[in-house]
Amino acid sequence: QVQLVESGGGSVQAGGSLRLSCAASGYTVRTGCMGWFRQAPGKERERVVFVNSYGAITYAESVKGRFTISMENSKNILFLQMNNLTPEDTAMFYCAAACDGFRYMGFRFWGQGTQVTVSS
């Protein structure tokens, strides 16, 4: 069965950095069709970045230039490097996998999330 486990969240001061990890089992990260999403209290879930089945990467305008998605194929882990964090980045971050137009926000599998809190 597919399992996605996020880690690396925490509290950081504005301007700081965090690196989130998504350890996947039952799914090959190298395949692509994976993404990072975030949801702040009272707001809708937002797509931060995703990689389609062809390897093309799309970032949300709000994180472009600050966040970088990458993967370590040997360990089947997806990463999200987040730099120059601002309080507006505060949210629960989720890892998603398997593109599917009929599923929630276009992905079939979801992790439980890791909290990112950025203070001023």
Side-chain angles (χ1 to χ4, degrees):
Q1 299 186 77
V2 174
Q3 184 176 23
L4 305 174
V5 181
E6 303 96 334
S7 62
S11 298
V12 65
Q13 292 284 106
S17 300
L18 285 172
R19 191 187 197 195
L20 307 184
S21 299
C22 174
S25 60
Y27 187 88
T28 302
V29 170
R30 186 180 181 181
T31 301
C33 277
M34 295 191 72
W36 287 97
F37 295 74
R38 65 186 181 187
Q39 187 167 26
K43 296 184 178 180
E44 296 183 353
R45 190 165 297 188
E46 172 191 22
R47 186 172 66 197
V48 175
V49 59
F50 78 96
V51 182
N52 69 14
S53 60
Y54 297 96
I57 301 171
T58 301
Y59 292 92
E61 288 296 323
S62 61
V63 307
K64 196 172 297 182
R66 299 189 299 122
F67 292 9
T68 304
I69 192 170
S70 63
M71 57 187 68
E72 186 170 338
N73 295 326
S74 63
K75 294 185 176 181
N76 208 38
I77 299 175
L78 183 74
F79 299 100
L80 181 65
Q81 178 66 46
M82 307 187 294
N83 299 324
N84 301 315
L85 287 163
T86 73
E88 288 70 40
D89 294 316
T90 295
M92 184 71 74
F93 280 70
Y94 300 90
C95 175
C99 303
D100 187 336
F102 293 97
R103 306 284 183 162
Y104 179 60
M105 299 199 76
F107 287 84
R108 182 178 181 182
F109 304 110
W110 295 82
Q112 293 300 303
T114 184
Q115 179 66 41
V116 171
T117 302
V118 185
S119 62
S120 60

